[in-house]
Amino acid sequence: MKAKNLLNWIQKTGRFFILCCLLFFSIVPQAWAADLGNGEKVFQANCVGCHVNGGNIIRRGKNLKLKALQKNGYGDVGAIASIVTNGKANMSAYKDRLTQQEIENVAAYVLEQAQKGWQK
């Protein structure tokens, strides 16, 4: 009987541990691993032509303001990195022009700026 109780406790504890890990890693901002200074440089060199101050000179509603990013499904670093990598509609893909690290850096920079309202 004691072995069965021990096994149940291990199973419950293991599930709790896994749940805590998943929760922690989904909450920890991906921007911590990014180089925001490099992200800003990449943005200035590649993105600012269309997205000055988080705007969009091609399609006004598809800007980089937080509300628009969230509305269009780009409210996290991974989603922003995906559109930078693969492009969409009028947005060019940058997978052949930027490294994966540069893409992650610029995505983190864009999200941080959106959260700040694009104010320095």
Side-chain angles (χ1 to χ4, degrees):
M1 192 69 175
K2 288 183 180 183
K4 187 176 180 180
N5 288 339
L6 179 61
L7 183 59
N8 285 338
W9 180 83
I10 291 171
Q11 288 175 336
K12 289 178 184 176
T13 304
R15 288 181 190 144
F16 178 75
F17 177 76
I18 291 170
L19 181 62
C20 288
C21 287
L22 290 172
L23 184 61
F24 175 78
F25 288 110
S26 68
I27 293 174
V28 174
Q30 293 181 22
W32 287 357
D35 178 346
L36 297 175
N38 178 259
E40 180 178 13
K41 289 177 186 174
V42 171
F43 186 86
Q44 294 300 325
N46 297 279
C47 312
V48 78
C50 293
H51 295 290
V52 65
N53 294 324
N56 186 331
I57 66 168
I58 308 294
R59 295 190 63 196
R60 196 173 20 186
K62 303 286 183 170
N63 60 58
L64 303 178
K65 309 293 182 176
L66 187 59
K67 187 175 178 179
L69 288 172
Q70 292 171 336
K71 177 184 173 189
N72 294 312
Y74 299 104
D76 62 69
V77 172
I80 297 168
S82 178
I83 198 168
V84 172
T85 302
N86 302 307
K88 183 175 179 181
N90 294 335
M91 167 84 182
S92 299
Y94 285 83
K95 64 183 167 198
D96 296 332
R97 294 180 244 180
L98 300 175
T99 67
Q100 186 60 39
Q101 188 62 54
E102 288 172 324
I103 290 170
E104 291 174 18
N105 291 343
V106 76
Y109 172 77
V110 165
L111 184 58
E112 180 185 71
Q113 290 304 304
Q115 291 169 338
K116 292 180 176 179
W118 287 90
Q119 298 174 0
K120 293 267 178 178

